[in-house]
Amino acid sequence: MPSSFRPLSRSFFLQSPAQVAPALIGKLLVRRHGSSQRCVRIVETEAYLGEDDSAAHAAAGLTPRTAVLFGDAGRAYIYLIYGIHLCLNVSTLPRGEAGGVLFRAADGGNTSDLSGPGRLTRGLGITAALNGGDLTRPGPLFLADDGCLPPAIAVSTRVGIRKAVRLPLRFFWDGHPAVSRPHGPVLSRLHPIASGAGARVYSGLTAHGH
DNA sequence: AAGCGGATCGTCT
DNA sequence: GACGATCCGCTTG
């Protein structure tokens, strides 16, 4: 239950997906729908790089579908997968440079199941109509910070892809029950820097999980 | 616990 | 016309 939060700034997303993805762990995803507002905490993300990342949609280049990824930072990239599920991403990097972060799981309290990218969008009532929306401005869907800093972020490989499977671009709140499966081997862990108040909040010190 | 196949449709070759 | 950044249910071990 966050007492107060502020939306994440545009500059937060003006860096590489590999930096933004771990920084989003512990942040809030706010969904306003009708008269209700729902606040959930992000516990799992994946980074999808630009045209060099063969697993990323941006690898196909600039198309009508990927336009959001090549556009301004901090906007919602929402697409239909397997004809059934919607996936929510946020675009990163300035206009012209593609990059995105996929939201894979969130903690929404007892009653909801937001574990998995398809469940997350369904649970929050996210629709394709929200594609391209600004996630840095309070509205139907946006991101916010309430000062929460996870004690440890685990790093592993991305789920459900066939290309570039080795890259360590999946990030999740270490040990959190809402993280989706399969967990896979933890390649490294990130821990908060003691006096970290600046841009670089996490330091990767653990070389290997045991 | 892990592995399979079906559902279902927008996007690009 | 093939293929998914997935999920669920059923099978097997």
Side-chain angles (χ1 to χ4, degrees):
Chain A
M1 312 301 175
S3 54
S4 71
F5 57 74
R6 56 168 177 76
L8 292 177
S9 66
R10 181 90 47 216
S11 61
F12 182 94
F13 300 101
L14 285 175
Q15 43 191 339
S16 93
Q19 292 178 280
V20 177
L24 281 170
I25 304 300
K27 299 298 188 290
L28 298 172
L29 182 61
V30 186
R31 171 70 167 131
R32 288 175 177 164
H33 196 225
S35 58
S36 70
Q37 169 172 296
R38 190 145 175 235
C39 225
V40 301
R41 193 171 302 283
I42 298 154
V43 300
E44 181 185 354
T45 60
E46 280 178 359
Y48 285 87
L49 313 180
E51 300 183 78
D52 294 336
D53 180 4
S54 56
H57 290 179
L62 177 57
T63 69
R65 183 205 204 186
T66 61
V68 176
L69 291 174
F70 285 87
D72 293 323
R75 309 199 80 101
Y77 171 54
I78 299 168
Y79 65 91
L80 181 69
I81 188 65
Y82 297 111
I84 298 185
H85 299 107
L86 291 170
C87 287
L88 171 68
N89 304 247
V90 59
S91 63
T92 72
L93 295 172
R95 174 165 291 275
E97 293 180 65
V101 174
L102 169 69
F103 295 97
R104 288 196 56 89
D107 180 6
N110 303 335
T111 60
S112 62
D113 192 358
L114 306 175
S115 182
R119 287 166 159 173
L120 186 147
T121 54
R122 180 169 58 86
L124 293 177
I126 289 170
T127 68
L130 295 168
N131 186 47
D134 192 348
L135 298 182
T136 69
R137 256 184 88 73
L141 187 66
F142 64 101
L143 292 158
D145 183 6
D146 68 345
C148 169
L149 211 56
I153 294 176
V155 184
S156 65
T157 56
R158 297 176 291 185
V159 176
I161 54 171
R162 320 251 329 184
K163 306 165 196 164
V165 295
R166 314 298 282 264
L167 299 180
L169 294 177
R170 183 193 192 191
F171 304 91
F172 57 92
W173 187 313
D174 199 15
H176 199 290
V179 173
S180 73
R181 294 194 237 184
H183 288 197
V186 173
L187 304 173
S188 64
R189 285 184 175 83
L190 309 175
H191 297 278
I193 295 170
S195 60
R200 237 176 251 172
V201 181
Y202 282 91
S203 169
L205 294 178
T206 307
H208 297 286
H210 56 279

